[in-house]
Amino acid sequence: MSLSRFTVTGVRNLQPVALLPSPRINILYGDNGSGKTSLLEAIHLLGLARSFRSSRIAPVVGHEEQSCVLFGQAALASGQARAIGVSRSRDGETVIRVDGQNVRSAAELADTLPLQVINPDSFRLLEGAPKLRRQFLDWGVFHVEPRFLRAWQRLQQALRQRNSWLRHGRLDGAAQAAWDRELELAADEIDAYRRAYIQALKPVFEETLQALCALEDLQLSYYRGWDKDRRLGEVLAATLERDRALGHTQAGPQRADLRLKVGGHNAAEILSRGQQKLVVCALRIAQGHLVSETKRGQCIYLVDDLPSELDEHHRLALCRLLEQLNCQVFITCVDSNALMEGWQTSTPVSMFHVEHGRVTQTHGPSGVNA
Ligand SMILES: Nc1ncnc2c1ncn2[C@@H]1O[C@H](COP(=O)(O)OP(=O)(O)OP(=O)(O)O)[C@@H](O)[C@H]1O
Ligand SMILES: [Mg+2]
């Protein structure tokens, strides 16, 4: 999966842009405030119909514009092409089209264009709330296990019913038991998918991390969201009074987490900023490897400000791993010299200069001036 053509209108400071990216490495360079992150944001909008910088669309739409419109031609693993169009107006109206057909859900769109983002916010994966790590985990499970989405939807419905009943107490005993049973079944299914995914992810993550930096005693573990020795039904029965007092269900897959520890300590409290960045990169690159083993093919990587926090040795190691992924990668940096070297001569590298919202290709796919 890669973007062979990409056009942007109405995103932040960007002038209307039409890019013919390399199927592999694309470097976007330019001064602070020139529009590099906005260009990555535009690709993210195309892939997920939302930004990674703002939960609202209004700040993303250019000051003088009423809407932003993204269009991309995606080359699929099967060799087929797919035309994707996303338009979002300032007031939130969204139109998503894939091959000329309207698409109703962003999940369907996410399935079309799997994206991985590595940006300065990525640190939050280690130090932030468990929700971020669950999102990371479920992104992976969603892209490798087609039955996951249905199970997750069942879980959400059962949880909504239970939480509403906890607050208002309007269900009779039999109906409540039936919903608890449904919750337990969905929970067990989700737990099984997540567990299988972690088992596959762990060795790939460890190998990737090893290639990036030496952190031998880093341990990745999975907490499923309730006591590992008891059935969820038992736990729910035991915590019923507390759940009722709080008005929501405490135990279950909605509380799952990934734990990263170094020598028994929380990785976020021990590792340096650079080491944290490398751990997050290793996690995201490992996910990309697992996706590429499925029939969906590769995902696209958006790496914002790759050189920051990294010394030359680690920067080169990260570039090598991104290159070995065989994926399409969009990388931003301020100084193009930082990323000129280190690529195999056979890897198609394109470079784009971003200046006051204008994007100009300065190097073609084979390193030749465009
Ligand atoms: N809605 C908007 N309309 C117009 N311009 C905007 C809008 N939102 C942000 N900007 C401007 O767009 C410019 C590009 O920002 P962007 O974050 O893409 O820069 P950048 O090249 O990634 O910079 P840096 O190297 O500092 O990360 C900034 O000058 C910003 O002030
Ligand atoms: Mg930026």
Side-chain angles (χ1 to χ4, degrees):
M1 166 77 58
S2 63
L3 279 177
S4 52
R5 191 178 142 71
F6 177 54
T7 66
V8 186
T9 359
V11 172
R12 298 202 190 256
N13 73 328
L14 293 176
Q15 301 290 318
V17 175
L19 288 191
L20 297 174
S22 153
R24 297 290 305 286
I25 305 294
N26 295 278
I27 297 170
L28 317 167
Y29 66 95
D31 292 344
N32 294 138
S34 56
K36 305 176 298 294
T37 303
S38 304
L39 202 51
L40 295 190
E41 199 175 19
I43 299 173
H44 196 269
L45 276 167
L46 181 74
L48 288 162
R50 59 179 168 78
S51 160
F52 55 75
R53 281 206 281 189
S54 165
S55 54
R56 293 181 310 117
I57 193 67
V60 183
V61 178
H63 295 319
E64 312 284 314
E65 311 286 336
Q66 283 315 308
S67 62
C68 56
V69 182
L70 303 311
F71 173 79
Q73 187 91 32
L76 304 188
S78 60
Q80 289 170 303
R82 185 150 287 172
I84 308 168
V86 170
S87 97
R88 293 215 54 183
S89 71
R90 191 176 277 288
D91 57 19
E93 196 195 330
T94 307
V95 180
I96 306 173
R97 288 172 78 83
V98 176
D99 287 339
Q101 304 284 321
N102 280 351
V103 168
R104 261 191 248 128
S105 84
E108 209 178 315
L109 182 65
D111 199 32
T112 309
L113 205 66
L115 293 177
Q116 281 282 358
V117 180
I118 299 173
N119 65 7
D121 256 7
S122 299
F123 290 114
R124 293 177 52 227
L125 186 63
L126 300 187
E127 66 194 15
K131 185 178 176 191
L132 294 171
R133 288 179 293 280
R134 270 196 304 278
Q135 281 170 347
F136 165 84
L137 171 62
D138 289 346
W139 184 97
V141 187
F142 170 78
H143 282 290
V144 304
E145 174 48 76
R147 293 169 295 181
F148 174 74
L149 182 61
R150 181 73 200 103
W152 192 82
Q153 286 164 339
R154 277 176 62 198
L155 175 82
Q156 296 309 314
Q157 196 191 7
L159 268 178
R160 265 196 308 276
Q161 287 288 345
R162 188 171 196 273
N163 289 343
S164 155
W165 161 77
L166 285 171
R167 278 183 221 121
H168 310 296
R170 286 201 201 106
L171 278 186
D172 63 40
Q176 175 212 322
W179 277 112
D180 274 7
R181 181 81 193 119
E182 170 69 2
L183 182 59
E184 188 175 57
L185 286 174
D188 285 343
E189 193 178 344
I190 287 173
D191 178 44
Y193 296 149
R194 284 175 171 168
R195 196 181 293 275
Y197 182 73
I198 291 293
Q199 213 172 359
L201 183 76
K202 249 179 125 172
V204 187
F205 164 63
E206 283 161 9
E207 197 183 322
T208 311
L209 188 65
Q210 188 121 44
L212 273 178
C213 67
L215 280 173
E216 256 100 62
D217 50 353
L218 186 105
Q219 294 291 332
L220 170 69
S221 64
Y222 161 65
Y223 166 64
R224 66 175 178 172
W226 73 98
D227 188 333
K228 67 177 171 28
D229 299 320
R230 288 201 292 170
R231 298 198 56 82
L232 181 59
E234 263 180 69
V235 177
L236 292 179
T239 55
L240 180 59
E241 283 320 310
R242 195 134 186 262
D243 283 357
R244 223 197 287 260
L246 289 169
H248 65 264
T249 306
Q250 298 165 81
Q254 74 283 5
R255 300 297 285 268
D257 199 359
L258 285 180
R259 290 173 179 164
L260 282 125
K261 302 230 158 166
V262 181
H265 299 280
N266 230 338
E269 289 164 5
I270 293 282
L271 300 181
S272 74
R273 291 302 270 181
Q275 286 171 327
Q276 289 185 42
K277 178 164 178 166
L278 294 167
V279 169
V280 171
C281 288
L283 283 167
R284 298 212 171 272
I285 289 172
Q287 283 204 317
H289 279 296
L290 294 193
V291 172
S292 64
E293 284 168 12
T294 68
K295 65 177 178 356
R296 289 158 207 267
Q298 280 91 4
C299 45
I300 296 175
Y301 278 77
L302 308 177
V303 188
D304 200 11
D305 205 359
L306 182 142
S308 73
E309 324 267 2
L310 300 182
D311 58 43
E312 193 186 352
H313 165 76
H314 289 108
R315 196 173 68 220
L316 286 172
L318 177 57
C319 288
R320 205 167 312 123
L321 283 179
L322 288 169
E323 191 174 27
Q324 283 165 2
L325 265 174
N326 257 328
C327 287
Q328 188 173 41
V329 188
F330 292 85
I331 301 171
T332 74
C333 58
V334 172
D335 178 7
S336 64
N337 291 324
L339 294 175
M340 279 285 228
E341 308 289 319
W343 309 105
Q344 303 266 338
T345 45
S346 56
T347 301
V349 179
S350 288
M351 301 194 76
F352 300 89
H353 186 205
V354 188
E355 203 177 14
H356 304 303
R358 285 180 207 284
V359 186
T360 321
Q361 185 166 358
T362 53
H363 276 76
S366 40
V368 182
N369 268 332

